[in-house]
Amino acid sequence: MRNYSENIIVKMTYQFALEIMEFSEILRAKKRFAFADQVLRSGCSVGANVREAQGAESKADFIHKMKIAQKEAEETEYWLELCDFSKSYPKPGKLLSDIESILKVINKIVSTSKKGSK
């Protein structure tokens, strides 16, 4: 396993995936299976795509993979917001602020990378 200890977005998304796994289990316990699956897939996909971007073959490939991570983060935010605003679903708590922070970092990485590639 590579050492990503200095890479803030890799660390953030890895920790987020672990917390999403726990939230998904809470949703499963409440018999919210469809939401549990959606949150788990998109929430873990953010980190998987960020991690994949670390081995990109080019700057364009890196930007492309980070944009996929960005889309997955936006989808995850959507599912978490639905849970948060629903009266009958468990509240995601700090997961919502975590995904907002992740989105800010990814957005900055993408915009900075695009500027550097022109």
Side-chain angles (χ1 to χ4, degrees), residues 62-105:
F62 175 80
I63 292 168
H64 176 71
K65 286 175 172 51
M66 290 302 290
K67 288 188 78 146
I68 293 171
Q70 183 181 42
K71 289 179 182 182
E72 293 293 336
E74 288 169 354
E75 179 182 343
T76 303
E77 182 180 43
Y78 174 78
W79 295 118
L80 293 174
E81 285 173 347
L82 286 174
C83 289
D84 196 44
F85 286 100
S86 172
K87 293 178 182 156
S88 61
Y89 276 67
K91 302 299 178 204
K94 78 177 204 69
L95 287 172
L96 261 176
S97 62
D98 290 349
I99 197 64
E100 289 168 3
S101 297
I102 288 167
L103 271 166
K104 286 179 186 174
V105 174

Side-chain angles (χ1 to χ4, degrees), residues 8-68:
I8 188 70
I9 193 61
V10 171
K11 285 173 38 177
M12 288 173 76
T13 56
Y14 187 83
Q15 184 60 44
F16 183 76
L18 291 172
E19 292 170 10
I20 279 291
M21 290 166 67
E22 291 177 17
F23 186 63
S24 178
E25 289 300 317
I26 292 168
L27 287 166
R28 285 194 164 285
K30 300 276 186 187
K31 300 192 184 323
R32 305 295 194 233
F33 302 114
F35 265 73
D37 292 344
Q38 287 294 131
V39 166
L40 183 64
R41 277 192 206 103
S42 64
C44 290
S45 182
V46 178
N49 282 289
V50 165
R51 184 92 165 249
E52 189 176 341
Q54 305 313 300
E57 296 176 14
S58 65
K59 183 165 271 203
D61 188 36
F62 175 80
I63 292 168
H64 176 71
K65 286 175 172 51
M66 290 302 290
K67 288 188 78 146
I68 293 171

